């Protein structure tokens, strides 16, 4: 009996259909099996096994028992390990679900240090601080994490907003958890970016984290019409600042001629300080004397008079064109009290007489290089060509000049540029690429924007940011700084707020740079201050500041920084007065303290130094110290007073600092160290002799330590001039001993 | 005895399958009638009803899509959590870490689209062949309800991946509910019944005034439990009525 | 046994057993459908955009494709019409269809000759529905502007010319005329049909049909005559 069967045509169709279904199923399985991560795991396993076999054999040939055991044990483990595994790091509160280690199997395996990616070891030091099991991978590198093909895992698909950041910019992501890259090992590019950001004054337009209350980048516009005599100079400066000062911080704006004219007209109309200006120069004011004063008083340390001088800080104005630029009446008023004319200027108040000031003014007015004269002739503003002041004011507001140059009436205006955190937050779709051909990634957008700000301009979207002429390396660092400069939305324990010490160190470092202390003082061994070649003698130089926190009492330094007093009256180059607030001085002192080694910092505490107390020491000890100081004739080079004229045989250049100042100024421990080894504590080449020890540490006198202590104690309590010891004969020392030595 | 005979005449086999394979009318009838799933069919039917070019199997295929959706849907339910923290992530995990995950998700999605298209085509076919006319009027109405159920199933499922497509599609869709006259906070005359965004039609649908975690959970339950049950119930009535109204329509 | 395989009945045609013929055909249909689905699922991935972000509006934000027709109608009508009334009326209209169509002809075969009224009307609605879907899904870009499929969505479109509203009197008059004529004319022209189904069914059926044509008419008015509203009140506008 035949079985129940369908008709023929349907049965043929069914056969074909089944075959088709089989083919489709095979397709599905094939897609599943050919996944790339399985291939990577296979390759890794083979390579690892091979390496282990080699190591084991090597250990056997070297007869290294422990090595042999270790390698063969690992080899056994690796041989038994055969399955394909998906490795994941799951951190729910951080939103991290990283499958990266599925392909990057060798991430923590030191045997793969030099292999090709993805089977390459991650740099080990940074991984020690950021274990993948605690942080995952995507927090630091960007990318999707939840993906097992190369493009998807790296977030190169458009349903994932944060693609993996290439190595050149990866340091930018440190700032998602770390508040500042200052002194952050591994974030050097980001730190360089931060410094560039501050140096170039970017914070004037773009608000950034940790840069909220910095003083403005450049001088105020109040009274600029009085300060700057030549409207053509202003015009040339706005048009092409590099022509007047190469490597200037002033960017080049893209302005039409008439717009510049309006701005010039606005600026020259700002004559608020006219009333404060000085009258005409007194008789006898001499430009030649001014030239001497320029180097004598230390102006040359900060201000260069050569155009394009590479050794001068970019933060300080170049005075090569001062003759054209500045008005003679303004200079003496400025030198007398800069803060009255520009409240936050870093320019200090120098110790000058009125005559000095006029001498310098005349000297500066004599600086008129011919090439500048030519440039200014071309840029001369005709009388009929005056622009509109109101229009100029509008342009100044529009272009954001007030971001770097404070203007009183524009104080309340918001900053002209976009906040850094805002840009860090933006998604790729929100970044306007305009009509440019820039590759569509966030870092390329940033890089090209900083390099050529007008690149994204379109008809509907005019862009105001001016061109800063920065090198590609600098722009890369700035891009790194910009890329992720805001905290990620993570729980507290992932974020790393900067310690107070680090913030102080950052502020202190910036202060040293802004006030250009390094121009006069040696701050670091090997980096000569700029003033050095202009000093006749080394002994006339400003004091070394290496290890300053170890040397001076912080209380004294605090007072000194607010009002410098004369410590060596015979010098011409004097410490100027800076307008530092309480916190600034505190920060500077704390910063100096941080520059010491940890042991030195322990020994030399801030903000107060504990001083020895008179009652703790017997009068014998003090007297012994006084005896030592007298015998060693310290007073010869360290004068207490100059009433009686200079000691015999001593020239002014050999004089050293007044010893009476030590008890208020120096630290007790440092004094002792200094007496032990002057070269180490006052710099090699110091004129202070090795009294108690030789340079190799061999004692020169019996019981040097005791004597060092006595001398130091005496100096800490010294209140009167120790007399020079009288020359005495042996009769006077020991009377009555008349021995006839001929008997023996 | 051949192997085939050995198996098909064993006690186990005969306890499950109550018919033989010999080509007798009895066996043919029993094959239909004694099968839990096949006894929906009539034992015999006119040849004209078999023509593919009449029905194009559209109704049957729609039901098949529903079965595919159920099977793939249950498998997907093993890997999906209907909370905003995990929903999107689970989609990504399905794609990468679950074996055949992407294939499964694709099947579910395309079968869903196919079901909507097929149900509309089925409606067109039934209309063009006049198969809604008496005695089949009520079945047509049940069919319209099934159409609505299918659309709602697709709509609720659309939200579950919790991606931008999902969120904004459902936002747009439910905004229209907010425009209901009297009952919607954005509709005409809504002040008459003191209706505001916290208690209007849209809130009723979403469980919140915006599409959020509440909507996700609500839609998940609708999509996986309520609407399939309603759909199953309606299909039961629909298939029953097809039989009782005289099978596939043919000229009288 | 040829006779046993088929049973002649007194009804039309020959009868065959469901098993295996019908069941096998169903199986074939399922196999074919599975193959199509599998190939489709292997070749094309289901779309997935970025994670849901209430603060980042998609532009354009489109409803699922089967509702995109209604979203398109939003251009021509207010939301309470496009999103609530139109769907409800569609459902009601479909459900009412068997009860207002008294024509006994054409069951069980594809017959257009004997159903000259109902087939065009239904097909018109059906094609309008899918036409709106095609427009909404493929021809609408950012801000719901019209973009041909080859046009770049990044290029913004110029704003539409200003729209006019009908003065209320004129609008009301137009709508009333439309409905009165629409109800009266078929009654007068098809008196037999009218008598067969009675006033109530006639009114219901033709109101629904007229509403459907009204939607289409409003679309024309909007596209070619830039008319926004026919009737404007503070509570609702049509």
């Amino acid at each position: 009996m035949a079985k129940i069967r369908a008709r023929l045509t349907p049965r043929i169709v069914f056969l074909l259909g089944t075959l088709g279904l089989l083919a489709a199923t095979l397709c599905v399985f094939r897609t599943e099996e050919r996944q790339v991560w399985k291939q990577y795991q296979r390759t890794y396993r083979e390579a690892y096994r091979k390496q282990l076999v080699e190591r084991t054999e090597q250990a056997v040939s070297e007869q290294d028992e422990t090595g042999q055991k270790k390698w063969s044990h690992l080899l056994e483990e690796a041989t038994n390990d055969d399955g394909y595994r998906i490795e994941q790091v799951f951190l729910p509160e951080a939103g991290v679900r990283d499958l990266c280690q599925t392909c990057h199997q060798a991430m923590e395996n030191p045997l793969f240090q030099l292999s090709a990616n993805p089977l390459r070891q991650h740099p080990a030091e940074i991984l020690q601080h950021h274990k993948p099991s605690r942080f995952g991978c995507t927090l630091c590198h960007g990318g999707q994490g939840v993906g097992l093909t190369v493009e998807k895992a790296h977030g190169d698909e458009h349903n994932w907003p944060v693609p993996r950041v290439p190595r050149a910019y990866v340091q930018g992501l440190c700032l998602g958890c770390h508040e500042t890259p200052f002194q952050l090992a591994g974030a050097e590019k980001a730190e360089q970016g931060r410094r560039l950001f501050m140096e170039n004054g970017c914070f004037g337009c773009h608000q950034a984290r940790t840069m909220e209350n910095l003083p403005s980048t450049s001088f105020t516009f109040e009274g600029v019409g009085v300060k700057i005599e030549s409207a053509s100079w202003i015009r040339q400066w706005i048009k092409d600042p590099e022509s007047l000062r190469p490597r200037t911080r002033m960017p080049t704006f893209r302005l039409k001629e008439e717009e510049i004219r309006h701005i010039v007209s606005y600026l020259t109309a700002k004559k608020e300080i006219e009333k404060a200006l000085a009258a005409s120069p007194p008789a006898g004011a001499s430009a030649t004397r001014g030239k001497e004063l320029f180097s004598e008083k230390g102006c040359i340390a900060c201000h260069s008079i050569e155009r394009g001088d590479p050794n001068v800080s970019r933060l300080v104005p170049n005075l090569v064109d001062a003759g054209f630029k500045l008005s003679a009446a303004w200079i003496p008023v400025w030198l007398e009290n800069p803060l009255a004319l520009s409240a936050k200027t870093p320019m200090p108040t120098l110790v000058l007489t009125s005559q000095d000031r006029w001498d310098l003014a005349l000297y500066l007015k004599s600086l008129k290089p011919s090439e500048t004269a030519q440039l200014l002739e071309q840029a001369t503003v005709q009388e009929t060509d005056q622009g509109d002041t109101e229009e100029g004011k509008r342009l100044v507001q529009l272009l954001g000049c007030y971001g770097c140059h404070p203007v009183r009436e524009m104080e309340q205006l918001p900053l002209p540029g976009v906040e850094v955190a805002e840009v860090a937050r933006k998604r790729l779709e929100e970044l306007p690429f305009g009509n440019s051909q820039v590759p569509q990634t966030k870092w390329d957008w940033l890089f090209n924007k900083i390099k050529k700000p007008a690149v994204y301009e379109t008809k509907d979207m005019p862009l105001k940011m001016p061109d800063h002429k920065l090198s590609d390396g600098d722009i890369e660092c700035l891009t790194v700084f910009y890329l992720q400069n805001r905290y990620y939305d993570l729980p507290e324990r992932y974020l790393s707020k900067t310690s107070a010490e680090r913030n102080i160190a950052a502020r202190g470092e910036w202060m040293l740079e802004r006030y250009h202390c390094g121009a006069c003082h040696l701050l670091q061994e090997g980096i000569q201050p700029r003033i050095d070649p202009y000093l006749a003698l080394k002994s006339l130089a400003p004091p070394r500041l290496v290890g300053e926190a170890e040397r001076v009492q912080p209380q004294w330094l605090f007072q000194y920084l607010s009002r410098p007093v004369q410590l060596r009256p015979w010098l011409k180059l004097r410490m100027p007065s800076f307008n530092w607030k309480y916190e600034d001085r505190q920060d500077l002192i704390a910063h100096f303290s941080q520059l010491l080694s940890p042991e030195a910092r322990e020994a030399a505490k801030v903000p107060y130094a504990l001083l020895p107390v008179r009652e703790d020491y017997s009068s014998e000890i003090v007297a012994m110290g006084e005896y030592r100081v007298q015998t060693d004739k310290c007073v010869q080079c360290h004068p207490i007073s100059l009433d009686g004229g200079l000691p015999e045989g001593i020239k002014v250049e050999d004089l050293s600092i007044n010893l009476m100042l030590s008890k208020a100024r120096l630290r007790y421990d440092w004094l002792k160290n200094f007496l032990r080894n002057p070269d180490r504590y006052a710099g090699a080449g110091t004129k202070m002799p090795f009294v108690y020890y030789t340079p190799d540490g061999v004692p020169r006198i019996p019981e040097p330590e005791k004597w060092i202590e006595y001398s130091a104690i005496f100096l800490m309590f010294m209140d009167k001039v120790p007399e020079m010891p009288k020359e005495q004969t042996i009769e006077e020392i020991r009377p009555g001993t008349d021995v006839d030595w001929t008997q023996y | 005895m051949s192997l085939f005979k050995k198996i098909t005449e064993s006690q186990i086999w005969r306890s499950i399958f109550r018919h033989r394979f010999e080509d007798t009318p009895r066996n043919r009838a029993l094959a239909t009638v004694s099968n839990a799933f096949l006894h929906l069919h009539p034992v015999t039917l006119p040849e004209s009803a078999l023509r593919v070019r009449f029905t194009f199997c559209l109704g049957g295929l729609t039901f098949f899509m529903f079965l595919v959706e159920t099977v793939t849907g249950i498998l997907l339910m093993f890997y999906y959590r209907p909370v905003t923290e995990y929903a999107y992530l689970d989609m990504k995990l399905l794609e990468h870490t679950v074996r055949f995950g992407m294939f499964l998700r694709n099947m579910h999605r395309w079968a869903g689209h196919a079901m909507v298209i097929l149900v509309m085509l089925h409606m067109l076919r039934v209309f063009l062949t006049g198969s809604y006319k008496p005695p089949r009027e009520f079945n047509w109405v049940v069919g319209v309800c099934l159409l609505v159920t299918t659309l709602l199933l697709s709509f609720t499922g659309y939200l579950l991946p919790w991606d931008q497509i999902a969120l904004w599609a459902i936002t747009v869709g439910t905004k229209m509910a907010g425009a209901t006259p009297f009952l919607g906070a954005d509709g005409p005359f809504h002040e008459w019944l003191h209706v505001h965004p916290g208690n209007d039609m849209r809130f009723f649908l979403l469980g919140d005034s915006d599409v959020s975690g509440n909507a996700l959970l609500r839609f998940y339950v609708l999509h996986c439990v309520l609407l399939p049950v309603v759909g199953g119930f309606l299909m039961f009535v629909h298939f029953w009525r097809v039989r009782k109204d005289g099978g596939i329509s043919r000229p009288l | 046994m040829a006779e046993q395989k088929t049973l002649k009945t007194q009804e039309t045609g020959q009868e065959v057993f469901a098993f295996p013929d019908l069941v096998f055909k169903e199986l074939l249909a399922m196999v074919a459908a599975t193959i199509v689905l599998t190939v489709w699922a292997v070749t094309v991935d289901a779309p997935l955009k970025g994670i849901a972000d209430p603060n980042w509006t998609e532009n354009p934000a489109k409803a699922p494709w089967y509702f995109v027709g209604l979203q398109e109608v939003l251009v021509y009508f207010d939301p309470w019409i496009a999103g609530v009334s139109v769907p409800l009326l569609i459902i009601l209209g479909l459900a009412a269809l068997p009860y207002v169509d008294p024509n006994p002809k054409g069951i069980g075969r594809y017959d257009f000759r004997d159903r000259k009224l109902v087939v065009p009307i239904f097909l018109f609605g059906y094609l309008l529905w899918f036409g709106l879907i095609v427009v909404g899904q493929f021809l609408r870009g950012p801000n719901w502007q019209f973009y041909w499929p080859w046009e770049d969505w990044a290029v913004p479109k110029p704003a539409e010319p200003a729209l006019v509203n009908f003065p209320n009197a004129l609008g009301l008059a137009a709508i009333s005329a439309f409905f009165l004529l629409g109800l009266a004319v078929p009654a007068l022209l098809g008196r037999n049909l009218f008598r067969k189904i009675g006033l109530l069914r006639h009114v219901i059926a033709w109101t629904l049909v007229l509403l459907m044509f009204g939607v289409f008419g409003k679309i024309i008015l909007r596209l070619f005559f830039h008319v926004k509203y026919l009737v404007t009140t503070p509570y609702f506008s049509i």
Side-chain angles (χ1 to χ4, degrees), chain A residues 1-5 7 28-29 32-33 35 37-38 86 88 90 92 97 99 144 146-149 152-153 157 159-160 427, chain B residues 4-5 19-24 27-28 31 47 50 81 86 88-90 92-93 95-103 164:
Chain A
M1 162 80 44
K3 307 275 183 301
I4 301 177
R5 278 218 149 78
R7 300 191 200 153
V28 174
F29 272 85
E32 192 59 33
E33 281 310 307
Q35 297 211 11
W37 64 272
K38 293 186 180 170
I86 293 183
Q88 79 163 8
F90 180 44
R97 190 114 192 197
L99 305 173
Q144 188 168 181
V146 182
L148 287 175
T149 60
K152 295 197 177 185
E157 50 173 355
N159 74 24
W160 194 257
R427 308 153 66 119
Chain B
F4 180 73
K5 269 216 146 128
H19 67 93
R20 305 302 187 85
F21 289 101
E22 282 74 33
D23 196 355
T24 61
N27 279 339
R28 286 200 178 207
E47 184 122 33
L50 284 183
R81 283 164 289 193
Y86 288 112
Y88 186 73
L89 202 51
D90 287 337
K92 294 272 175 182
L93 288 173
E95 187 180 336
H96 294 284
T97 60
V98 175
R99 209 173 161 83
F100 303 113
M102 196 66 204
F103 174 69
Q164 283 288 78

Side-chain angles (χ1 to χ4, degrees), chain A residues 613-633:
Chain A
V613 174
R614 185 71 175 81
E615 289 72 35
D616 288 346
Y617 298 92
S618 62
S619 41
E620 275 108 39
I621 291 180
V622 179
M624 300 245 277
E626 183 172 4
Y627 166 71
R628 191 80 231 177
V629 168
Q630 283 172 330
T631 353
D632 288 340
K633 305 202 184 121

Side-chain angles (χ1 to χ4, degrees), chain A residues 282-300:
Chain A
S286 138
T288 340
R289 192 157 168 272
K291 183 166 179 186
E292 271 172 38
L293 285 171
F294 195 74
S295 46
E296 218 171 71
K297 294 294 179 181
C299 311
I300 193 87

Side-chain angles (χ1 to χ4, degrees), chain B residues 6 19 36 77 82 96 105 121 140 156 160 177 195 209 220 232 248:
Chain B
K6 266 212 182 104
H19 67 93
M77 275 172 87
H96 294 284
R105 183 178 169 225
L121 289 174
W140 169 266
T156 49
L160 301 184
V195 160
S209 45
Y220 182 71
I248 300 293

